């Protein structure tokens, strides 16, 4: 997965996609790649989330640091 795809995944998460399946459909990135990108962002402390069910629907998300990061990189206003 390239940098542009990772940014698309992170933006989709930030703007409220409800599950990894939904992020995959919106970005055209496989679900496994979405999971890895979000896992990496979580390990870096940019985001926090829990998932439930087979579709990996998000519950209890925290994304303030991700918003700060995207704005600092000029990827979002």
């Amino acid at each position: 997965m390239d940098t542009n795809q990772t940014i698309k995944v992170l933006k989709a998460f930030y703007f409220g996609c409800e599950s990894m399946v939904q992020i995959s459909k919106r970005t055209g990135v496989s679900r496994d790649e979405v999971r890895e990108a979000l896992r990496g962002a979580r390990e870096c402390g940019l985001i926090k989330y829990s998932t439930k069910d087979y579709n990996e629907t998000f519950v209890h998300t925290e994304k303030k640091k991700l918003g700060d990061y995207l704005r600092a990189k000029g990827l979002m206003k």
Side-chain angles (χ1 to χ4, degrees), residues 20 33 43 55 70:
M20 290 190 195
E33 290 175 317
E43 288 173 359
N55 291 326
L70 292 172

Side-chain angles (χ1 to χ4, degrees), residues 1-15 23 27 29 33 37-38 41 46 66 69-71 73-76:
M1 177 164 55
D2 67 21
T3 303
N4 289 332
Q5 289 175 316
T6 303
I7 296 299
K8 285 180 183 179
V9 168
L10 293 175
K11 280 184 166 182
F13 177 84
Y14 183 79
F15 287 114
I23 291 174
T27 62
V29 176
E33 290 175 317
L38 293 180
L46 288 176
L66 177 59
Y69 173 79
L70 292 172
R71 281 188 279 288
K73 294 292 184 182
L75 301 169
M76 191 175 79

Side-chain angles (χ1 to χ4, degrees), residues 1-57:
M1 177 164 55
D2 67 21
T3 303
N4 289 332
Q5 289 175 316
T6 303
I7 296 299
K8 285 180 183 179
V9 168
L10 293 175
K11 280 184 166 182
F13 177 84
Y14 183 79
F15 287 114
C17 281
E18 297 175 357
S19 68
M20 290 190 195
V21 171
Q22 191 178 34
I23 291 174
S24 178
K25 287 179 182 177
R26 285 193 183 174
T27 62
V29 176
S30 75
R31 198 164 118 197
D32 290 334
E33 290 175 317
V34 168
R35 186 179 306 110
E36 288 302 315
L38 293 180
R39 184 178 294 146
R42 183 167 56 181
E43 288 173 359
C44 293
L46 288 176
I47 60 175
K48 294 181 184 179
Y49 66 88
S50 305
T51 57
K52 66 176 185 174
D53 69 37
Y54 176 75
N55 291 326
E56 297 177 302
T57 303

